Amino acid sequence: MSAAEWRNAMNAGSGRLAMGKVLVLPPQEKTESWTRKNPIRARHVLVLGFLLAFPMYATPFLTYQIGAQSLALGLIALSLTFLGGYGGMVSLAQMTVAGVAGYMLAVFGASGEAALSLGWSWWIAVPIAIVIATLVGTAIGWLSVRTEGIYTIMITLAVGVAFYYLCLQNYSVLNGFQGFQRVYAPTVLGINLREPVPFYFLVLACALGGYFLAKYILRAPFGIAMQGIRDNPRRMNALGFHVMAHRVAAYAVAGLIAAVGGVLFTWYNGLVTPGSVGTSWLINILVIAVLGGMRHPIGPFIGAIVFVLLQTFAIDLIDRERFNLVIGGVFLAIVLFSPDGLLGLWAALKSRFPSGSKFLTPRGGIR
Amino acid sequence: MATVAGPAQRELLSTGDALRLEGVSRSFGALKAVENFSFSVAAGERRAVIGANGAGKTTLFNVITGDYAATSGRVRFFGEDVTAHPPYERIRAGMRRTYQSSLLFRDLTVRDNLFLAVRGVARGRFSFLHPGRASTTRAAAEGLLERVRLTHVGDEPVAMLSHGQQRQLEIGMALAGAPRLILFDEPAAGLSPAERRELVVLLNALPKHMSFILIEHDLEIALRVVDRVTVMHNGRMLKEGTPAEIENDPEVQEIYMGQAGHA
């Protein structure tokens, strides 16, 4: 369109001509819309089919160590994507929330430390653990929403480190350095959830639940308000939104997701110790979320798969003491080439091959 | 936040002032951006605030909406002292504003922007449930879309709109809910002549009970749509009067219009 055409269109007062020619652009997945249609596509069916069929073909080792672990870690990282990618609040304390859930599960439920654990049934201990961890997540949010950017990272890191030392030094409730061993998944309706395949399906069900919950909330008024607050908190205030309250509520939702992930990760490990909530794990969750990409709720799960694969098999490529170098190198390479993580790489590849014009459909809105 | 009106407030309510500023000042360190500013805008009145760049007009708006706390003085909105209220409470009470440079959500669609504006002053801000097709919020957003003539770009991200359309959207967002007083901060800035004509039509078509205050450098627009004009100079009120009085005031001509003429 020439400058003259543009000027004429503008002076005519409508701008329709101008808009009609420039508006066919790729959708930006990082922002959800109130009612954007997301029809079920072949790739969705394929992914779900693969996830359901995976234990049928994979060895128990792959099912448990790779599949279940990735999904549990992905769920915890999803809570960070929800906060960071959509709310603009990068919290390093999401593993702390997951750790609180794990510790509470061990304290109220059964563990190898019979003197400290109350030994209550799983159906009492699990809800209590999730509620307490969600409350802790909300409290961390209440503490940190007054800060932004690097200060949020610092304050949540401080909370995480403080909890780590609390776990390390408190012997009367948290059993200090030893933590709690033998915190196992229960047997429900005759199904032993400790077995790789049942445990995989349990984690898969929770991961799908978390994924769809996040997707749903992000398109609900609350989620759109969250994204508005991420982009421009001052403007949201000037629209009548209580920005701080919204942010605390977002921490509560993220806390719930992290708490469920924490229970599953504790069952996966069969233990919870100060090492489970140490600084390296706080950072690992951030690495997983960034590695996958924070522009879509699927990102943390992709990041978790890559992270777990590297963590499990890097040792075959390089010396035991140096396998972290491989993880760090891959992380560095992905972030360098694509700031949006693996999802960003995928989007870049798709834009190179736009022949399937689905990618060029305009975005939806309220219809 | 509901408060019980005391005798003093009841007296103010009876006078019908939509907004009353009493000795309002706002300083940034040693700089006094607004100094001892007092004025009132009656319910239904349309007021222009004019003045040279740096006169303190936008700071005055920020103090009125609560974006900046007043260093001293009182802000009363329909008789209620809102000086200590945060911006979102003032907005929920019926105050709205537009910004000098568009502060829109550029990645969201035009509809979603209007939806946010409607939702911000309605119940259900924390709703985790998707609004149904029959939702009043949706209907209100659609109504605003038509009112500001942006229906044809409703599904487009704001980043794709022309500057003029973004200004129209700003106005649409300010009209969400049941505004009682709207503060327009240079709504005509950067608009083409045709868009300026549309703006004048839009402002004149606002319901008569709705007060508004307009900061505008284009006096052709300002003087065509307002009942009274306040002239600011160096953070203080210089003059107040009808558009005709202000236009013919030699001091205003020298300080403001002379400068505008040279611009």
Side-chain angles (χ1 to χ4, degrees), chain B residues 79-94:
Chain B
E80 188 182 1
D81 186 348
V82 296
T83 316
H85 289 193
Y88 64 86
E89 279 187 14
R90 302 185 198 198
I91 300 301
R92 290 177 197 174

PDB file of all heavy atoms in Angstrom, chain B residues 79-94:
ATOM      1  N   GLY B  79     -18.563  14.882  46.032  1.00  0.00           N
ATOM      2  CA  GLY B  79     -18.687  15.157  47.460  1.00  0.00           C
ATOM      3  C   GLY B  79     -17.835  14.270  48.342  1.00  0.00           C
ATOM      4  O   GLY B  79     -17.555  14.611  49.490  1.00  0.00           O
ATOM      5  N   GLU B  80     -17.397  13.149  47.843  1.00  0.00           N
ATOM      6  CA  GLU B  80     -16.614  12.222  48.674  1.00  0.00           C
ATOM      7  C   GLU B  80     -15.132  12.563  48.578  1.00  0.00           C
ATOM      8  O   GLU B  80     -14.609  12.803  47.482  1.00  0.00           O
ATOM      9  CB  GLU B  80     -16.840  10.791  48.188  1.00  0.00           C
ATOM     10  CG  GLU B  80     -16.225   9.769  49.120  1.00  0.00           C
ATOM     11  CD  GLU B  80     -16.417   8.336  48.612  1.00  0.00           C
ATOM     12  OE1 GLU B  80     -17.005   8.165  47.530  1.00  0.00           O
ATOM     13  OE2 GLU B  80     -15.969   7.418  49.295  1.00  0.00           O
ATOM     14  N   ASP B  81     -14.485  12.589  49.735  1.00  0.00           N
ATOM     15  CA  ASP B  81     -13.049  12.870  49.757  1.00  0.00           C
ATOM     16  C   ASP B  81     -12.301  11.614  49.290  1.00  0.00           C
ATOM     17  O   ASP B  81     -12.267  10.605  49.991  1.00  0.00           O
ATOM     18  CB  ASP B  81     -12.610  13.238  51.178  1.00  0.00           C
ATOM     19  CG  ASP B  81     -11.154  13.690  51.220  1.00  0.00           C
ATOM     20  OD1 ASP B  81     -10.442  13.501  50.213  1.00  0.00           O
ATOM     21  OD2 ASP B  81     -10.729  14.234  52.256  1.00  0.00           O
ATOM     22  N   VAL B  82     -11.733  11.681  48.082  1.00  0.00           N
ATOM     23  CA  VAL B  82     -11.052  10.499  47.541  1.00  0.00           C
ATOM     24  C   VAL B  82      -9.533  10.678  47.547  1.00  0.00           C
ATOM     25  O   VAL B  82      -8.812   9.903  46.905  1.00  0.00           O
ATOM     26  CB  VAL B  82     -11.534  10.191  46.093  1.00  0.00           C
ATOM     27  CG1 VAL B  82     -13.010   9.833  46.068  1.00  0.00           C
ATOM     28  CG2 VAL B  82     -11.243  11.346  45.143  1.00  0.00           C
ATOM     29  N   THR B  83      -9.045  11.672  48.277  1.00  0.00           N
ATOM     30  CA  THR B  83      -7.612  11.986  48.251  1.00  0.00           C
ATOM     31  C   THR B  83      -6.751  10.760  48.552  1.00  0.00           C
ATOM     32  O   THR B  83      -5.710  10.563  47.931  1.00  0.00           O
ATOM     33  CB  THR B  83      -7.287  13.104  49.269  1.00  0.00           C
ATOM     34  OG1 THR B  83      -8.282  14.114  49.161  1.00  0.00           O
ATOM     35  CG2 THR B  83      -5.919  13.705  49.010  1.00  0.00           C
ATOM     36  N   ALA B  84      -7.208   9.949  49.509  1.00  0.00           N
ATOM     37  CA  ALA B  84      -6.386   8.799  49.908  1.00  0.00           C
ATOM     38  C   ALA B  84      -6.767   7.522  49.159  1.00  0.00           C
ATOM     39  O   ALA B  84      -6.192   6.471  49.415  1.00  0.00           O
ATOM     40  CB  ALA B  84      -6.536   8.568  51.415  1.00  0.00           C
ATOM     41  N   HIS B  85      -7.734   7.615  48.245  1.00  0.00           N
ATOM     42  CA  HIS B  85      -8.181   6.393  47.563  1.00  0.00           C
ATOM     43  C   HIS B  85      -7.225   6.011  46.440  1.00  0.00           C
ATOM     44  O   HIS B  85      -6.758   6.871  45.703  1.00  0.00           O
ATOM     45  CB  HIS B  85      -9.585   6.596  46.960  1.00  0.00           C
ATOM     46  CG  HIS B  85     -10.656   6.680  47.997  1.00  0.00           C
ATOM     47  ND1 HIS B  85     -11.995   6.601  47.703  1.00  0.00           N
ATOM     48  CD2 HIS B  85     -10.590   6.841  49.333  1.00  0.00           C
ATOM     49  CE1 HIS B  85     -12.693   6.704  48.817  1.00  0.00           C
ATOM     50  NE2 HIS B  85     -11.861   6.854  49.820  1.00  0.00           N
ATOM     51  N   PRO B  86      -6.964   4.712  46.269  1.00  0.00           N
ATOM     52  CA  PRO B  86      -6.127   4.283  45.133  1.00  0.00           C
ATOM     53  C   PRO B  86      -6.891   4.463  43.817  1.00  0.00           C
ATOM     54  O   PRO B  86      -8.127   4.565  43.829  1.00  0.00           O
ATOM     55  CB  PRO B  86      -5.876   2.802  45.415  1.00  0.00           C
ATOM     56  CG  PRO B  86      -6.989   2.378  46.302  1.00  0.00           C
ATOM     57  CD  PRO B  86      -7.389   3.580  47.100  1.00  0.00           C
ATOM     58  N   PRO B  87      -6.167   4.472  42.687  1.00  0.00           N
ATOM     59  CA  PRO B  87      -6.831   4.721  41.397  1.00  0.00           C
ATOM     60  C   PRO B  87      -8.019   3.794  41.132  1.00  0.00           C
ATOM     61  O   PRO B  87      -9.064   4.236  40.681  1.00  0.00           O
ATOM     62  CB  PRO B  87      -5.714   4.472  40.376  1.00  0.00           C
ATOM     63  CG  PRO B  87      -4.459   4.733  41.108  1.00  0.00           C
ATOM     64  CD  PRO B  87      -4.712   4.333  42.526  1.00  0.00           C
ATOM     65  N   TYR B  88      -7.849   2.484  41.445  1.00  0.00           N
ATOM     66  CA  TYR B  88      -8.933   1.570  41.063  1.00  0.00           C
ATOM     67  C   TYR B  88     -10.231   1.870  41.789  1.00  0.00           C
ATOM     68  O   TYR B  88     -11.316   1.652  41.254  1.00  0.00           O
ATOM     69  CB  TYR B  88      -8.499   0.107  41.253  1.00  0.00           C
ATOM     70  CG  TYR B  88      -8.213  -0.317  42.675  1.00  0.00           C
ATOM     71  CD1 TYR B  88      -9.217  -0.754  43.501  1.00  0.00           C
ATOM     72  CD2 TYR B  88      -6.913  -0.271  43.173  1.00  0.00           C
ATOM     73  CE1 TYR B  88      -8.953  -1.149  44.797  1.00  0.00           C
ATOM     74  CE2 TYR B  88      -6.636  -0.666  44.458  1.00  0.00           C
ATOM     75  CZ  TYR B  88      -7.652  -1.102  45.280  1.00  0.00           C
ATOM     76  OH  TYR B  88      -7.379  -1.487  46.565  1.00  0.00           O
ATOM     77  N   GLU B  89     -10.142   2.419  43.001  1.00  0.00           N
ATOM     78  CA  GLU B  89     -11.379   2.767  43.714  1.00  0.00           C
ATOM     79  C   GLU B  89     -12.032   3.993  43.089  1.00  0.00           C
ATOM     80  O   GLU B  89     -13.253   4.096  43.018  1.00  0.00           O
ATOM     81  CB  GLU B  89     -11.081   3.019  45.193  1.00  0.00           C
ATOM     82  CG  GLU B  89     -10.982   1.727  45.972  1.00  0.00           C
ATOM     83  CD  GLU B  89     -10.862   1.946  47.470  1.00  0.00           C
ATOM     84  OE1 GLU B  89     -11.130   3.080  47.934  1.00  0.00           O
ATOM     85  OE2 GLU B  89     -10.479   0.999  48.159  1.00  0.00           O
ATOM     86  N   ARG B  90     -11.222   4.945  42.646  1.00  0.00           N
ATOM     87  CA  ARG B  90     -11.782   6.138  41.998  1.00  0.00           C
ATOM     88  C   ARG B  90     -12.443   5.746  40.680  1.00  0.00           C
ATOM     89  O   ARG B  90     -13.485   6.288  40.315  1.00  0.00           O
ATOM     90  CB  ARG B  90     -10.677   7.170  41.742  1.00  0.00           C
ATOM     91  CG  ARG B  90      -9.975   7.582  43.025  1.00  0.00           C
ATOM     92  CD  ARG B  90      -8.979   8.696  42.786  1.00  0.00           C
ATOM     93  NE  ARG B  90      -8.036   8.782  43.905  1.00  0.00           N
ATOM     94  CZ  ARG B  90      -7.281   9.825  44.171  1.00  0.00           C
ATOM     95  NH1 ARG B  90      -7.347  10.891  43.407  1.00  0.00           N
ATOM     96  NH2 ARG B  90      -6.459   9.812  45.196  1.00  0.00           N
ATOM     97  N   ILE B  91     -11.811   4.784  39.967  1.00  0.00           N
ATOM     98  CA  ILE B  91     -12.372   4.338  38.682  1.00  0.00           C
ATOM     99  C   ILE B  91     -13.716   3.653  38.927  1.00  0.00           C
ATOM    100  O   ILE B  91     -14.694   3.903  38.235  1.00  0.00           O
ATOM    101  CB  ILE B  91     -11.393   3.369  37.977  1.00  0.00           C
ATOM    102  CG1 ILE B  91     -10.049   4.052  37.696  1.00  0.00           C
ATOM    103  CG2 ILE B  91     -12.006   2.810  36.693  1.00  0.00           C
ATOM    104  CD1 ILE B  91     -10.094   5.278  36.846  1.00  0.00           C
ATOM    105  N   ARG B  92     -13.751   2.813  39.941  1.00  0.00           N
ATOM    106  CA  ARG B  92     -15.000   2.106  40.227  1.00  0.00           C
ATOM    107  C   ARG B  92     -16.097   3.082  40.663  1.00  0.00           C
ATOM    108  O   ARG B  92     -17.281   2.774  40.532  1.00  0.00           O
ATOM    109  CB  ARG B  92     -14.774   1.064  41.319  1.00  0.00           C
ATOM    110  CG  ARG B  92     -13.928  -0.107  40.853  1.00  0.00           C
ATOM    111  CD  ARG B  92     -13.663  -1.068  41.986  1.00  0.00           C
ATOM    112  NE  ARG B  92     -12.546  -1.958  41.689  1.00  0.00           N
ATOM    113  CZ  ARG B  92     -12.034  -2.822  42.553  1.00  0.00           C
ATOM    114  NH1 ARG B  92     -12.519  -2.932  43.758  1.00  0.00           N
ATOM    115  NH2 ARG B  92     -11.019  -3.594  42.212  1.00  0.00           N
ATOM    116  N   ALA B  93     -15.703   4.242  41.190  1.00  0.00           N
ATOM    117  CA  ALA B  93     -16.686   5.244  41.611  1.00  0.00           C
ATOM    118  C   ALA B  93     -17.216   6.051  40.428  1.00  0.00           C
ATOM    119  O   ALA B  93     -18.121   6.870  40.601  1.00  0.00           O
ATOM    120  CB  ALA B  93     -16.063   6.168  42.652  1.00  0.00           C
ATOM    121  N   GLY B  94     -16.650   5.833  39.233  1.00  0.00           N
ATOM    122  CA  GLY B  94     -17.200   6.515  38.052  1.00  0.00           C
ATOM    123  C   GLY B  94     -16.251   7.480  37.367  1.00  0.00           C
ATOM    124  O   GLY B  94     -16.638   8.216  36.467  1.00  0.00           O
TER     125      GLY B  94
END
